[in-house]
């Protein structure tokens, strides 16, 4: 990580692998007590949102910074009538307690959040879970958002 100063604007250059990302301090994202307005404490809740995916408002979407993949349930794809876009590709996903599931395939769907529109790759699974979609680090990083489970919000630099 290097710090440089140019034209009275601090600039941080973060190098990770072969990618270089330039971040200006003016784009900093902060959370304060006002962001948690209406949240009853104490709690230990996950960050769950509704999200527009492939022109469908999907409820019970878990934001999981600990997940290395984006996951969508097969029944949700069927409800979206997007199963014809599914590319068969089996992966074994491992979870907590060494549980595992084999994916039905991959699909690229468009997500819409706060004016940011991005095509995202999802792993498709057929199982019973409490969430319709699990958005992991690939979605968080591509959307350039910062989730806060403490404040129960997601912030975007825009």
């Amino acid at each position: 990580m290097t710090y440089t100063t140019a034209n009275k604007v601090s600039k941080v250059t973060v190098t990770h692998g072969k990618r270089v990302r330039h971040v200006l301090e003016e784009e900093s994202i902060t959370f304060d007590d006002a962001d948690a307005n209406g949240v009853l404490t104490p709690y230990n809740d996950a960050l769950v949102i509704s999200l527009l995916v492939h022109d469908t408002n999907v409820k019970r979407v878990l934001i999981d910074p600990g997940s290395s993949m984006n996951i969508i349930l097969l029944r949700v794809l069927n409800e979206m009538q997007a199963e014809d876009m599914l590319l068969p590709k089996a992966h074994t996903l491992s979870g907590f307690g060494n549980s595992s599931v084999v994916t039905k395939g991959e699909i690229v769907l468009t997500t819409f959040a706060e004016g940011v529109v991005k095509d995202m790759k999802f792993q498709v699974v057929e199982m019973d879970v409490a969430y319709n979609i699990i958005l992991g680090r690939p979605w968080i990083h591509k959307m350039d958002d910062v989730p806060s489970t403490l404040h129960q919000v997601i912030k975007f630099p825009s």
Side-chain angles (χ1 to χ4, degrees):
M1 191 176 284
T2 60
Y3 295 90
T4 60
T5 304
N7 299 332
K8 297 185 182 180
V9 175
S10 295
K11 181 178 176 183
V12 179
T13 302
V14 180
T15 305
H16 184 264
K18 293 183 180 180
R19 291 187 321 190
V20 175
R21 179 179 168 153
H22 299 284
V23 181
L24 296 176
E25 276 188 21
E26 296 169 3
E27 296 177 357
S28 65
I29 295 176
T30 59
F31 297 92
D32 57 30
D33 291 342
D35 293 313
N37 191 17
V39 176
L40 300 175
T41 57
Y43 70 92
N44 199 17
D45 298 337
L47 182 53
V48 181
I49 64 169
S50 293
L51 184 68
L52 191 60
V53 179
H54 190 67
D55 294 328
T56 303
N57 188 29
V58 181
K59 296 180 180 179
R60 294 190 334 264
V61 176
L62 174 67
I63 307 299
D64 182 10
S67 178
S68 62
M69 293 186 170
N70 301 314
I71 299 169
I72 189 167
L73 299 182
L74 182 60
R75 68 170 172 72
V76 175
L77 277 187
N78 293 336
E79 291 171 13
M80 291 178 174
Q81 299 178 345
E83 62 275 359
D84 57 326
M85 298 167 46
L86 178 65
L87 299 172
K89 195 179 236 187
H91 294 286
T92 301
L93 304 180
S94 298
F96 188 75
N98 279 340
S99 63
S100 62
V101 63
V102 177
T103 65
K104 298 290 181 186
E106 296 177 348
I107 190 166
V108 175
L109 297 171
T110 304
T111 63
F112 307 85
E114 293 295 318
V116 181
V117 180
K118 298 282 183 175
D119 289 335
M120 297 301 307
K121 185 190 312 183
F122 290 86
Q123 301 301 313
V124 180
V125 297
E126 186 174 18
M127 59 188 300
D128 291 326
V129 292
Y131 307 104
N132 292 314
I133 293 177
I134 299 173
L135 296 174
R137 289 185 306 272
W139 183 82
I140 293 168
H141 294 175
K142 192 165 186 178
M143 295 296 280
D144 281 335
D145 67 15
V146 180
S148 172
T149 56
L150 176 64
H151 299 90
Q152 290 290 289
V153 296
I154 300 173
K155 288 197 173 184
F156 295 82
S158 59

